[in-house]
Amino acid sequence: MRIFKITSLTVMALVTATVVMAQKPRIRIVATGGTIAGVSASATSSAYGAGQVGIQTLIEAVPQVKDIADVSGEQLVNIGSQDMNDEVWLKLARRVNDLLNKEGYDGVLITHGTDTMEETAYFLSLTVHSDKPVVLVGAMRPSTAISADGPANLYNGVCTLVDPSSKGHGVMACMNNELFEAKALVKTHTTDCAAFKGGLYGEMGYVYNGRPYFLHTPVAKQGMTSAFNVDNVTALPKVGIVYGYANCSPLPMQAFVNAGFDGIVLAGVGDGNFYKDVFDVALKAQNGGIQIVRSSRVPFGPTNLNGEVDDARYHFVASLNLNPQKARILLMLALTKTRDWQTIQQYFNEY
Ligand code: GLU
């Protein structure tokens, strides 16, 4: 009798262990549109419309993901990412937080257009509070093109999400077999499949044969260490970007001031320098309570604090390693918490 008891217990334990082992990681795909869901007139045409194919079609195009994960999907929006906006960002951040922290998913894959992928990735890296991985994927060729790159990016993204080594790497993008941390991600080519680079930080890793290999972890604060929370934020502060050039008109800067914007980012020349007429408007704006952040139109290299411009004197903030579009994101989030220029500079130092 005793022998039978041990045997049945053992069988039960074995069955339980087998069930546990057979459970695949639960991955949720949140689709937002972009070229990965784009359709062209023919397989050889370069003209196409972004954001036309639904999430189920995208998943069915890559059935291999079902071998490695329990994959399900939802369609948040279906847009070209040139139409990405604050409302979608707030909705997306809340949804990803819920999926990871309330609904028990092991990772979230976001399909997204490539035009503003870097902005969405950075926004989520500051507003999603989890150690679990979040991966953005897109495509440079529409889903109907010869050699569409979307399916491989999607597969590599899921491979990254299910691998235990991805934990703690925050929000990343997986494009063209490479992995980029959100802060570093930058689109550097309008049409090339190798459009994304990691700027000063380089790529964070790569995917080979269905496995991610990480070269470093993100250095800046994000995810669990981020102080920004948009759970109760209904609208983001208004922040615009002004582009710098020789003989620059001060009109765009003045227009943002007149429209009551809360902050303005300068995509300045060189190390974040102003044209003299623009400087005059910027100084008045800063003195009037509109925070000015200096960034640069130069693709690589930091915009340094107190270099050619005396930030300490004028109370401007230097964007350091953030390009103008990411400096805009951090300034919007910073302005949800404070209007103090020194605290805002501290955020730029840390994030
Ligand atoms: N402009 C579209 C978008 O960003 C298509 C570009 C792309 O996804 O590569 O969604």
Side-chain angles (χ1 to χ4, degrees):
M1 194 58 180
R2 184 167 174 73
I3 290 170
F4 173 73
K5 257 190 184 167
I6 291 168
T7 310
S8 60
L9 280 176
T10 311
V11 169
M12 271 172 62
L14 275 172
V15 168
T16 312
T18 313
V19 170
V20 169
M21 277 169 64
Q23 271 179 357
K24 294 178 190 142
R26 287 179 70 223
I27 302 301
R28 189 70 163 176
I29 303 184
V30 180
T32 69
T35 295
I36 192 167
V39 172
S40 51
S42 74
T44 53
S45 170
S46 297
Y48 69 96
Q52 298 190 10
V53 170
I55 178 61
Q56 287 316 325
T57 312
L58 286 184
I59 295 175
E60 278 156 26
V62 196
Q64 296 84 348
V65 292
K66 305 243 172 181
D67 299 338
I68 54 172
D70 174 2
V71 177
S72 60
E74 63 190 63
Q75 191 82 46
L76 191 84
V77 285
N78 208 354
I79 57 174
S81 71
Q82 61 268 40
D83 290 328
M84 189 50 67
N85 59 46
D86 298 2
E87 201 188 326
V88 178
W89 277 339
L90 291 171
K91 205 168 147 188
L92 184 59
R94 287 192 203 111
R95 186 68 191 124
V96 176
N97 273 308
D98 281 355
L99 289 167
L100 297 176
N101 297 326
K102 291 189 184 153
E103 298 185 26
Y105 284 91
D106 298 300
V108 174
L109 187 91
I110 298 165
T111 60
H112 197 288
T114 59
D115 289 0
T116 59
M117 182 183 277
E118 62 193 90
E119 288 160 75
T120 300
Y122 188 55
F123 182 79
L124 292 176
S125 79
L126 300 181
T127 53
V128 171
H129 303 111
S130 173
D131 259 355
K132 295 176 186 174
V134 175
V135 174
L136 282 87
V137 296
M140 295 301 291
R141 296 183 181 137
S143 67
T144 47
I146 292 176
S147 295
D149 52 332
N153 289 339
L154 194 147
Y155 180 72
N156 285 338
V158 175
C159 291
T160 303
L161 288 170
V162 300
D163 197 283
S165 69
S166 296
K167 197 174 169 206
H169 284 85
V171 176
M172 51 195 132
C174 180
M175 292 292 292
N176 203 36
N177 301 327
E178 291 186 303
L179 294 163
F180 303 96
E181 64 199 273
K183 181 170 180 173
L185 184 69
V186 57
K187 188 176 186 180
T188 63
H189 197 283
T190 51
T191 48
D192 205 351
C193 276
F196 286 90
K197 299 283 178 255
L200 283 180
Y201 300 86
E203 74 265 37
M204 183 166 62
Y206 56 93
V207 182
Y208 180 74
N209 209 12
R211 247 200 77 186
Y213 293 85
F214 289 99
L215 305 170
H216 62 258
T217 48
V219 284
K221 277 189 176 179
Q222 46 104 36
M224 298 298 279
T225 55
S226 171
F228 303 107
N229 189 319
V230 292
D231 285 353
N232 299 313
V233 174
T234 49
L236 291 167
K238 285 196 287 182
V239 174
I241 299 175
V242 168
Y243 201 86
Y245 51 93
N247 203 41
C248 189
S249 166
L251 289 177
M253 176 85 76
Q254 190 62 58
F256 283 132
V257 172
N258 296 347
F261 272 49
D262 304 290
I264 301 170
V265 174
L266 174 79
V269 294
D271 195 1
N273 290 314
F274 299 88
Y275 186 68
K276 55 188 172 32
D277 296 0
V278 178
F279 173 84
D280 293 342
V281 178
L283 189 55
K284 273 200 201 114
Q286 179 69 48
N287 290 337
I290 301 170
Q291 183 60 53
I292 303 292
V293 171
R294 293 186 306 106
S295 185
S296 176
R297 69 176 196 175
V298 179
F300 301 114
T303 302
N304 295 289
L305 185 63
N306 298 319
E308 276 185 84
V309 180
D310 191 347
D311 296 301
R313 178 171 171 197
Y314 303 121
H315 300 182
F316 297 149
V317 163
S319 76
L320 306 175
N321 290 314
L322 291 179
N323 64 19
Q325 54 271 35
K326 286 192 196 145
R328 178 177 171 270
I329 304 274
L330 182 54
L331 181 55
M332 287 194 300
L333 290 170
L335 288 169
T336 63
K337 294 176 78 72
T338 183
R339 293 257 163 181
D340 175 58
W341 68 277
Q342 283 172 304
T343 309
I344 295 174
Q345 182 64 65
Q346 192 56 33
Y347 287 138
F348 276 81
N349 297 347
E350 293 174 357
Y351 293 86

